[in-house]
Amino acid sequence: DQTMPQRMLARAQEAYGIWLGAMLGLQDEHLDQVPEPGEWTPRQILEHMVTTQKLYLEMIHRAREMAIPVEKD
């Protein structure tokens, strides 16, 4: 059985793979095209994902240093 954090990370990794597959072959001009008014460009999404992953990694390192136990569901 996986813990909730393990399931969340697995879902995030799956979504990242789907997104990465959709981005393959895009040229720079496509990365900056706004799909619909108010929506993010692919480049903005990538920047958000990188920033978020860095924050998650920081939180994981801090949690491990503090030895916070993770309960299974």
Side-chain angles (χ1 to χ4, degrees):
D1 285 334
Q2 289 183 324
T3 64
M4 184 180 6
Q6 288 171 327
R7 287 194 305 272
M8 291 171 64
L9 288 172
R11 287 183 186 152
Q13 187 64 36
E14 180 183 354
Y16 175 76
I18 292 168
W19 183 85
L20 184 60
M23 297 297 106
L24 289 175
L26 288 182
Q27 303 298 319
D28 275 349
E29 62 268 14
H30 296 126
L31 292 174
D32 296 317
Q33 287 180 344
V34 178
E36 296 289 332
E39 292 185 0
W40 290 5
T41 66
R43 189 181 310 275
Q44 289 171 316
I45 294 169
L46 177 59
E47 290 170 352
H48 173 75
M49 290 173 72
V50 168
T51 301
T52 302
Q53 286 187 354
K54 286 179 182 178
L55 291 173
Y56 284 154
L57 186 57
E58 276 182 39
M59 289 188 294
I60 290 168
H61 284 300
R62 271 192 250 139
R64 292 187 70 181
E65 287 171 2
M66 295 172 61
I68 298 172
V70 177
E71 295 182 27
K72 290 189 174 192
D73 294 338

